[in-house]
Amino acid sequence: MGTGFLACLLAVVMLLRCSTSQQPNTDEFFVADFIRKMGVEVASLSDGSSSSVCSWKMVSCDDRKEKVIALVASGLGLSGPIPENTIGKLSMLKTLDLSGNNITGFSSDIWGLGSSLRSLNLASNQMKGALPNNLGNFGELESLNLSHNDFSGEMPVTLGSLSSLRFLNLSGNRFEGIIPDSFLGCRSLVSIDLSGNRLNGTVPDGFSDALKNLRFLDLSGNEINGRLPDLSGLDSVTYLNLSGNSFQGSVLGVFRETMQVIDLSNNQFQGHVSQVNLSSSYNWSSLVYLDLSVNELSGEFFHDLGRARSLRHLNLAFNRFSHQNFPMLEQLSGLEYLNLSKTSLTGQIPTEISKLVGLKTLDLSQNHITGHIPDLSIKNIQVLDLSTNNLTGEIPQPLLDELPNMISFNFSYNNLTLCAAKFSPQTFNTAFVGSQNDCPIAANPDLIRTKGAKYKALKLALAITLSVFFLIAGLVCLAFGFRKRTRSWAVKQLSIKEEPSVSGPFSFQTDSSTWVADVKSATSVPVVIFEKPLLNFTFADLLTATSHFDRGTLLAEGKFGPVYRGFLPGGIHAAVKVLVHGSTVTEQEAAKELERLGRIKHPNLVPLTGYCLAGDQRIAIYDYMENGNLQNLLHDLPLGVQATEDWSTDTWEEDTGTIQSITTEGLTTWRFRHKIALGAARALAFLHHGCYPQIVHRDVKASSIYLDSALEPRLSDFGLSRIVGASLEDEISRGSPGYAPPEFCESENVSATTKSDVYGFGVVLFELITGKKPLGDDYPEERETTLVSWARTLVRKNQASKVIDPKIRETGSETRMEEGLRIAYLCTADLPSKRPSMQQIVGLLKDIEPMAADLLK
Ligand SMILES: *[C@@H]1O[C@H](CO)[C@@H](O)[C@H](O)[C@H]1NC(C)=O
Ligand SMILES: *[C@@H]1O[C@H](CO)[C@@H](O)[C@H](O)[C@H]1NC(C)=O
Ligand SMILES: *[C@@H]1O[C@H](CO)[C@@H](O)[C@H](O)[C@H]1NC(C)=O
Ligand SMILES: *[C@@H]1O[C@H](CO)[C@@H](O)[C@H](O)[C@H]1NC(C)=O
Ligand SMILES: *[C@@H]1O[C@H](CO)[C@@H](O)[C@H](O)[C@H]1NC(C)=O
Ligand SMILES: *[C@@H]1O[C@H](CO)[C@@H](O)[C@H](O)[C@H]1NC(C)=O
Ligand SMILES: *[C@@H]1O[C@H](CO)[C@@H](O)[C@H](O)[C@H]1NC(C)=O
Ligand SMILES: *[C@@H]1O[C@H](CO)[C@@H](O)[C@H](O)[C@H]1NC(C)=O
Ligand SMILES: *[C@@H]1O[C@H](CO)[C@@H](O)[C@H](O)[C@H]1NC(C)=O
Ligand SMILES: *[C@@H]1O[C@H](CO)[C@@H](O)[C@H](O)[C@H]1NC(C)=O
Ligand SMILES: *[C@@H]1O[C@H](CO)[C@@H](O)[C@H](O)[C@H]1NC(C)=O
């Protein structure tokens, strides 16, 4: 095979050699010589099968295969000036395309092609200097393309003698001076592209009379001034681009029936566009593209713009329009690009804008638009800029994360609210700039944590202890379960008569029968479950789930009202919180607020799953937290089974096999307590810094921190203060005993701030490390009455190690626990301004993360 192949190759090479040694003074010779002299191997161009130039792909010959009539040698890497006595001698050449090479100049004999050449394309080469007047020799030329070269100087006056020229492209050079009057001699011109040069002066007079056939005119990116060229005689022009010049005067003359593309952007056009009603002379039906941006137009928009039914691109941005309402554009159903930036728009964005289903770009920035952002669920939208307006209210969630094609949005400099966790810090920093208080500040990506490998290790360790524990817990449950079962029967029958009032920090009469009776037809009051909108629950289902809000299902008496436990159909295990009434907010406002809270998602927050507005009652539905709260786990029940200080301890049901419990061993590791602290800190940092407007929790305490089924800490009860009554809000703002910061005691009028949340968190952190209750516990070393004063005194005396819970002392680095106490010390500073921010606390807590060595302890 080897020798056969070689022989073949040799034969081919011989053939090629043969083909390159043409007879002198034949077209074949001129072409081959040209290629060779321009530095390209002829052999590399022929397909090797034939010796004749006429069979090369880039060459066309006449019928007799003697004369070359077309040479299309585009992008071959030809370089240098065209040599004499080569293609200049191709006497019948009609088409010469040498575009995309490195040609630097003409040969003097090239002008000899004048009598035959119809099309010359030297685009994208490196031709330098002035374009010689010899060009006038090309009397037959129909297409001249010298675009993207380095020609300079004035356009040659002899250009005007090319009376057959139909296509002229001189774009992307450095031609300067004026467009010569003689140019109007090119009476056949259909397409003129002079864009991207340095032409100045005005467009020659008589333009429209001379160039009757003109369809395409691009003079963009020059320095041409004066008025719009007279287009009155141009009956077939469809494309006009005068962008980026210094044209002045009125734009109205440009609106001709045939026009499809009008780009007059970046000029100095002036005048009122609304003054003249175009409808009489113009019907808008052909217009596809209109860009009048960056001019000095005044008055209002065209009143009859809505008739431009073919319009796809509309840009009127950056003009001097007078204050005006949003134009009626909903008929423009084909619109893909709408830019009304800086056009003095006032009033609201009409909801009809969502009818523009094809819209990809919408820029309404830098106006005075007020009101809410309407539903803009336009599937195709890619770019949305509403920045620098006076928009208020909530950014509709679909805009942020449901539109499949969205590439970028900008809501900066408005008065909008937002709370979502999905953005990168970069997005926060660029798309939501300059909101009130410069919020939201960059969300720390750590706040949006995904469970890492290190947590799995802990879970494994816990799982082992758990499995042993279940045996014991199971027995305990069984015992409680029997008790409960008999009792709950009794309660059900008596529930109306026997109604003990439960006392808690905020007393609330849990006589559900009165208000349940108020709800006229339970089956017509809907229950909204955010993630499962199709379930169609009603208040009746809530009644069933909670046995008519029976005390038997009462989980807790919170400050906001009683919490019941219920199993809704579809496997939804919920904590149902009936919010104390007294609120002045309307039903719609409450619903809106609850919807908003439902969207606030963070791995360390107890999610609001739904709500129900039943009569006067506002009911919030949360995910049920399997593992109780920190208060129970730390202080109440020896085994860490659930119940708060005020939860009735008899809420056990035998059928809750899913309840997980935490071993005393589980909770008595430094690692686990640190995890709870860090999770709660992340949740608070998210509310304070990842939400806009920020959310102050107002009641941070151990019983607000729950553990979910995966033993992740989750903060609950955030954001409810807006829904409950004002009087209660005051009550809540005062904080819970043991958790209220000193400033609350000093004055009645101090309201809750992020710093009072920090204080509450500091107390929780002390609890976690010392294992002591905030009030009324036994604080040995000192005659102190509160956890905070006791622990702070010892930390200050450098005796922090004395307060560490003996149960966790051995399970980790004592230095780190002491460091944790110092963080709590900072958080509980008397002066709010001395307390760190929750974001800083997250950072500090991460620094004292238990080391790998602690893991197996
Ligand atoms: C032109 O020449 C330059 C170097 O002088 C080279 O980098 C470039 O690739 C050439 N372009 C073409 C189209 O051959
Ligand atoms: C000019 O040449 C360029 C590059 O080959 C091409 O894109 C363009 O269509 C040509 N224009 C005319 C008018 O021939
Ligand atoms: C002129 O040539 C440039 C590039 O060489 C091209 O982009 C442009 O489309 C051409 N103009 C016309 C009208 O064909
Ligand atoms: C036009 O450009 C030429 C060459 O750059 C310059 O000499 C001339 O002053 C300019 N004319 C105007 C009116 O700007
Ligand atoms: C008009 O020309 C400018 C500059 O050359 C260009 O950016 C713009 O896209 C053109 N407009 C249209 C509609 O083609
Ligand atoms: C423009 O003309 C149309 C039709 O003649 C008329 O209905 C409309 O009111 C006019 N608008 C203005 C602003 O003159
Ligand atoms: C608008 O004018 C064009 C050209 O004159 C005509 O073909 C078309 O039917 C007109 N359209 C309307 C809606 O009047
Ligand atoms: C809107 O038009 C202005 C002015 O031309 C421009 O600066 C801005 O980038 C455009 N907006 C979009 C989204 O294209
Ligand atoms: C928004 O409204 C305020 C108060 O009315 C006003 O001072 C401000 O200029 C407005 N901002 C914009 C961008 O219209
Ligand atoms: C922002 O909106 C809120 C209500 O939504 C209003 O109370 C507040 O005054 C607004 N701020 C500004 C600067 O317009
Ligand atoms: C959003 O708009 C503001 C104000 O115009 C600007 O400062 C910021 O850079 C824009 N962000 C993005 C991502 O374009």
Side-chain angles (χ1 to χ4, degrees):
M1 172 223 143
T3 45
F5 176 72
L6 273 180
C8 219
L9 198 65
L10 204 62
V12 169
V13 171
M14 300 269 287
L15 262 174
L16 290 178
R17 290 235 159 253
C18 203
S19 76
T20 56
S21 53
Q22 314 287 339
Q23 292 283 316
N25 299 326
T26 61
D27 278 8
E28 283 197 38
F29 170 83
F30 295 134
V31 172
D33 202 32
F34 166 70
I35 302 285
R36 194 164 36 235
K37 286 183 171 156
M38 296 295 280
V40 174
E41 277 290 341
V42 174
S44 67
L45 302 179
S46 97
D47 58 9
S49 59
S50 159
S51 61
S52 166
V53 157
C54 288
S55 64
W56 294 9
K57 238 184 247 153
M58 57 184 199
V59 175
S60 306
C61 294
D62 64 346
D63 294 342
R64 293 162 58 208
K65 303 275 177 217
E66 278 174 6
K67 288 295 191 181
V68 172
I69 57 169
L71 176 59
V72 181
S74 184
L76 297 181
L78 306 173
S79 74
I82 297 173
E84 303 291 335
N85 298 314
T86 56
I87 50 174
K89 303 289 179 211
L90 300 172
S91 57
M92 303 285 277
L93 194 65
K94 286 188 173 143
T95 301
L96 180 59
D97 181 350
L98 302 176
S99 61
N101 286 292
N102 265 344
I103 299 170
T104 55
F106 295 108
S107 63
S108 64
D109 61 5
I110 197 93
W111 311 111
L113 296 175
S115 54
S116 63
L117 205 60
R118 301 280 159 79
S119 169
L120 176 60
N121 189 350
L122 291 170
S124 302
N125 277 286
Q126 290 168 15
M127 312 280 280
K128 283 189 184 48
L131 186 58
N133 266 315
N134 300 359
L135 193 68
N137 288 357
F138 291 148
E140 304 295 312
L141 208 58
E142 290 169 11
S143 171
L144 176 61
N145 192 343
L146 302 178
S147 62
H148 285 246
N149 275 283
D150 202 16
F151 286 112
S152 53
E154 303 204 344
M155 286 168 64
V157 283
T158 53
L159 197 61
S161 54
L162 307 184
S163 57
S164 306
L165 198 62
R166 289 157 54 79
F167 302 97
L168 173 66
N169 193 343
L170 301 181
S171 73
N173 282 284
R174 290 189 288 142
F175 287 112
E176 60 189 28
I178 58 166
I179 302 173
D181 284 346
S182 65
F183 183 64
L184 301 184
C186 306
R187 295 185 165 263
S188 307
L189 277 171
V190 170
S191 164
I192 302 174
D193 189 347
L194 302 180
S195 64
N197 281 287
R198 295 172 185 177
L199 299 168
N200 64 13
T202 58
V203 177
D205 286 338
F207 193 83
S208 101
D209 291 335
L211 308 177
K212 290 276 184 214
N213 300 315
L214 201 62
R215 284 201 214 128
F216 181 105
L217 178 60
D218 191 346
L219 301 179
S220 66
N222 281 286
E223 292 152 26
I224 303 170
N225 53 42
R227 305 195 147 255
L228 197 68
D230 174 18
L231 302 173
S232 57
L234 301 178
D235 290 332
S236 26
V237 78
T238 58
Y239 178 103
L240 177 68
N241 193 346
L242 303 181
S243 160
N245 281 285
S246 302
F247 284 101
Q248 292 152 349
S250 168
V251 297
L252 293 169
V254 86
F255 291 93
R256 315 235 359 116
E257 223 64 82
T258 50
M259 210 68 100
Q260 293 170 5
V261 175
I262 300 175
D263 189 343
L264 304 183
S265 60
N266 292 284
N267 278 287
Q268 287 143 36
F269 286 110
Q270 301 126 350
H272 287 231
V273 288
S274 55
Q275 256 177 6
V276 177
N277 194 345
L278 287 170
S279 336
S280 48
S281 58
Y282 183 66
N283 81 7
W284 295 93
S285 65
S286 311
L287 199 63
V288 173
Y289 188 111
L290 177 61
D291 189 342
L292 300 179
S293 65
V294 197
N295 276 291
E296 294 160 20
L297 303 175
S298 50
E300 294 181 3
F301 297 146
F302 308 91
H303 292 296
D304 37 9
L305 195 57
R307 302 174 56 182
R309 300 292 165 86
S310 312
L311 207 57
R312 289 210 290 269
H313 183 110
L314 177 61
N315 191 348
L316 300 175
F318 286 82
N319 275 291
R320 299 187 182 161
F321 292 115
S322 44
H323 285 235
Q324 56 188 329
N325 278 329
F326 213 92
M328 300 287 280
L329 295 173
E330 63 267 21
Q331 305 99 312
L332 307 186
S333 55
L335 213 54
E336 291 169 9
Y337 179 100
L338 178 59
N339 190 341
L340 299 178
S341 174
K342 208 162 186 295
T343 51
S344 307
L345 288 179
T346 58
Q348 309 206 350
I349 304 175
T351 52
E352 287 82 10
I353 199 156
S354 62
K355 291 188 185 155
L356 302 179
V357 292
L359 215 52
K360 291 182 182 154
T361 298
L362 177 61
D363 187 345
L364 302 176
S365 62
Q366 304 194 52
N367 283 294
H368 312 283
I369 305 174
T370 54
H372 295 262
I373 302 177
D375 173 28
L376 287 174
S377 326
I378 301 170
K379 184 172 99 280
N380 291 313
I381 205 136
Q382 295 174 350
V383 176
L384 177 67
D385 192 344
L386 300 179
S387 65
T388 320
N389 275 291
N390 262 341
L391 291 162
T392 54
E394 175 118 9
I395 299 172
Q397 195 68 11
L399 280 183
L400 302 176
D401 55 29
E402 280 165 28
L403 298 182
N405 297 308
M406 186 72 93
I407 296 168
S408 79
F409 47 65
N410 197 340
F411 298 101
S412 304
Y413 300 105
N414 274 291
N415 190 5
L416 291 162
T417 61
L418 157 89
C419 203
K422 289 191 179 168
F423 308 119
S424 67
Q426 200 200 347
T427 306
F428 263 113
N429 280 334
T430 57
F432 302 94
V433 204
S435 309
Q436 236 174 323
N437 311 323
D438 266 328
C439 246
I441 66 168
N444 182 344
D446 285 340
L447 303 180
I448 306 154
R449 175 174 53 82
T450 49
K451 290 167 191 166
K454 49 187 177 174
Y455 297 91
K456 285 188 192 138
L458 173 68
K459 275 188 200 152
L460 185 71
L462 267 172
I464 297 166
T465 35
L466 275 177
S467 56
V468 177
F469 173 73
F470 261 121
L471 267 177
I472 307 162
L475 290 173
V476 176
C477 292
L478 218 60
F480 272 107
F482 275 123
R483 209 185 124 213
K484 155 76 185 147
R485 201 185 254 178
T486 41
R487 196 184 152 180
S488 97
W489 271 106
V491 171
K492 249 172 223 157
Q493 277 146 11
L494 292 173
S495 65
I496 293 168
K497 291 176 209 150
E498 177 227 51
E499 207 42 78
S501 138
V502 183
S503 64
F506 183 84
S507 101
F508 178 76
Q509 183 68 37
T510 44
D511 185 357
S512 60
S513 57
T514 48
W515 67 266
V516 169
D518 278 352
V519 181
K520 294 286 182 301
S521 53
T523 50
S524 67
V525 177
V527 169
V528 178
I529 302 286
F530 302 127
E531 311 260 292
K532 300 184 176 163
L534 298 180
L535 283 182
N536 291 329
F537 289 145
T538 65
F539 186 59
D541 293 302
L542 276 191
L543 288 176
T544 314
T546 59
S547 310
H548 284 249
F549 295 94
D550 187 283
R551 281 195 50 77
T553 62
L554 187 66
L555 279 176
E557 276 298 337
K559 274 186 176 179
F560 294 99
V563 188
Y564 300 87
R565 174 177 174 189
F567 285 97
L568 282 161
I572 301 174
H573 193 181
V576 181
K577 180 169 289 208
V578 182
L579 301 175
V580 179
H581 26 187
S583 166
T584 49
V585 293
T586 65
E587 207 159 280
Q588 284 96 326
E589 286 167 331
K592 207 169 161 230
E593 192 58 27
L594 286 160
E595 296 270 356
R596 190 175 91 90
L597 291 178
R599 287 198 292 272
I600 299 179
K601 297 239 163 67
H602 186 275
N604 295 114
L605 290 173
V606 177
L608 181 70
T609 30
Y611 67 90
C612 172
L613 304 177
D616 280 346
Q617 303 302 322
R618 277 101 206 230
I619 299 171
I621 303 168
Y622 289 93
D623 269 3
Y624 182 78
M625 290 292 116
E626 309 282 353
N627 282 308
N629 69 39
L630 190 58
Q631 164 80 20
N632 313 146
L633 295 166
L634 272 179
H635 311 305
D636 289 351
L637 290 173
L639 287 173
V641 285
Q642 57 183 18
T644 38
E645 54 197 324
D646 43 14
W647 284 18
S648 52
T649 43
D650 53 7
T651 51
W652 284 91
E653 280 175 36
E654 189 217 23
D655 59 354
T656 53
T658 53
I659 286 198
Q660 295 180 16
S661 301
I662 297 159
T663 61
T664 31
E665 295 93 304
L667 196 66
T668 55
T669 62
W670 160 237
R671 195 177 176 82
F672 193 54
R673 294 207 186 164
H674 176 272
K675 168 183 162 158
I676 294 174
L678 184 56
R682 281 184 159 125
L684 278 168
F686 178 71
L687 294 177
H688 290 178
H689 307 296
C691 289
Y692 177 74
Q694 63 181 193
I695 294 177
V696 176
H697 186 282
R698 292 158 188 267
D699 200 16
V700 180
K701 56 184 179 182
S703 59
S704 302
I705 300 168
Y706 286 79
L707 290 174
D708 68 13
S709 57
L711 299 174
E712 285 292 323
R714 285 180 184 263
L715 190 63
S716 79
D717 284 349
F718 55 93
L720 289 177
S721 55
R722 286 215 230 174
I723 300 159
V724 299
S727 57
L728 184 66
E729 189 181 328
D730 288 347
E731 174 86 16
I732 290 157
S733 291
R734 315 261 29 109
S736 295
Y739 295 91
E743 63 265 26
F744 282 8
C745 311
E746 281 154 21
S747 160
E748 278 288 300
N749 302 322
V750 182
S751 56
T753 62
T754 54
K755 295 294 188 182
S756 53
D757 281 358
V758 170
Y759 186 92
F761 177 81
V763 179
V764 172
L765 189 53
F766 273 140
E767 280 182 83
L768 278 166
I769 304 178
T770 64
K772 299 228 179 271
K773 292 183 194 170
L775 289 178
D777 214 323
D778 174 26
Y779 311 114
E781 267 80 16
E782 307 280 328
R783 300 263 123 39
E784 299 285 0
T785 52
T786 71
L787 171 61
V788 170
S789 62
W790 173 64
R792 281 180 66 87
T793 308
L794 286 175
V795 171
R796 199 165 35 235
K797 288 186 186 163
N798 240 340
Q799 299 176 5
S801 85
K802 284 194 186 169
V803 307
I804 295 174
D805 187 350
K807 287 187 233 128
I808 62 165
R809 192 187 294 277
E810 303 296 319
T811 66
S813 149
E814 203 165 299
T815 335
R816 288 180 177 230
M817 294 178 213
E818 285 177 25
E819 201 55 46
L821 288 166
R822 273 189 282 276
I823 299 171
Y825 181 89
L826 289 175
C827 294
T828 50
D830 281 349
L831 276 180
S833 59
K834 291 244 168 96
R835 298 170 202 152
S837 74
M838 282 316 303
Q839 256 179 350
Q840 289 168 321
I841 295 165
V842 169
L844 292 170
L845 286 171
K846 283 176 68 182
D847 287 345
I848 58 164
E849 207 140 24
M851 294 166 294
D854 301 335
L855 185 62
L856 296 174
K857 290 196 175 170

